[in-house]
Amino acid sequence: MSTKHRSQTGTRLPDPNFVHPEVIAPETTAGKALRYVNAAIRISIGWVFLWAFIDKVWGFGFATPTAKAWINGGSPTTGFLKGATGPLASTYHSMSGQSWADWLFMAGLLGIGLALVLGVGMRIAAAAGSLLLVLMWSAELPLQNNPFMDEHLVYAMVLVALALASAGRTVGLGRQWERLSFVQRYGWLK
């Protein structure tokens, strides 16, 4: 007999891994509302990434003129990285317009955007999205309106919060994604 669940006096203790069904509280109205707000935030930020990808590929004239679209020979990284300032400016200027940087940036925008909109791979999307946003933040140093905080850092923190809240499970494919055997085997894919 296992002594794993016995006190020092030999008294049998309840299994610490057993959760009594009555202890699991039903979801509150506020909790349900928060899930849907998180889903709306997740989809909205995903759309920001997806739209950046779409506009840079086809140049619909919002942030990217048609003549500078990727399909017309433009570089998706040139405009932003050429304008880099601060301590990392020379690094970003040297990466500007490089084919590998263009492809990596565009793959990141598409992958992060799709993952967020679909609600799958939230951990990877949060990590990759946060990395991309922090790199973009560092390209704008020193900031003009605040000593260190801007929307890039706020978005990065929101992405982490959404992943921690499993926001892909509501109005997304997160639950189905998490049931896949390879996702269960490799938890970082959740």
Side-chain angles (χ1 to χ4, degrees):
M1 180 178 227
S2 171
T3 58
K4 187 167 149 181
H5 301 295
R6 292 197 177 270
S7 71
Q8 292 178 352
T9 62
T11 307
R12 187 161 185 188
L13 299 174
D15 182 354
N17 296 318
F18 178 76
V19 178
H20 292 271
E22 64 274 10
V23 174
I24 301 173
E27 184 176 42
T28 64
T29 303
K32 185 175 183 178
L34 182 59
R35 283 191 306 107
Y36 282 93
V37 168
N38 283 343
I41 293 168
R42 184 197 85 232
I43 294 165
S44 298
I45 295 176
W47 176 248
V48 169
F49 280 95
L50 269 180
W51 179 254
F53 172 82
I54 292 166
D55 192 45
K56 289 181 184 318
V57 169
W58 287 283
F60 290 121
F62 287 88
T64 307
T66 304
K68 293 186 178 183
W70 202 19
I71 62 168
N72 293 330
S75 167
T77 60
T78 297
F80 185 76
L81 293 180
K82 281 291 183 195
T85 58
L88 300 172
S90 62
T91 302
Y92 288 126
H93 292 169
S94 69
M95 292 169 29
S96 174
Q98 297 290 325
S99 180
W100 64 268
D102 289 344
W103 279 96
L104 193 58
F105 178 64
M106 295 299 281
L109 290 177
L110 179 61
I112 296 162
L114 284 175
L116 291 172
V117 168
L118 297 174
V120 299
M122 289 296 297
R123 291 179 182 176
I124 296 172
S130 294
L131 175 63
L132 180 60
L133 288 162
V134 168
L135 289 171
M136 292 174 76
W137 167 81
S138 71
E140 293 187 344
L141 292 174
L143 302 176
Q144 294 180 10
N145 299 323
N146 192 297
F148 68 92
M149 186 61 66
D150 79 347
E151 67 276 4
H152 295 96
L153 295 182
V154 173
Y155 276 175
M157 290 185 285
V158 170
L159 288 178
V160 171
L162 292 173
L164 291 172
S166 300
R169 294 178 181 171
T170 303
V171 191
L173 301 174
R175 286 189 198 284
Q176 295 86 337
W177 175 260
E178 290 174 11
R179 287 187 198 126
L180 298 174
S181 61
F182 69 92
V183 175
Q184 289 179 352
R185 193 169 342 159
Y186 304 105
W188 54 271
L189 292 172
K190 287 186 178 178

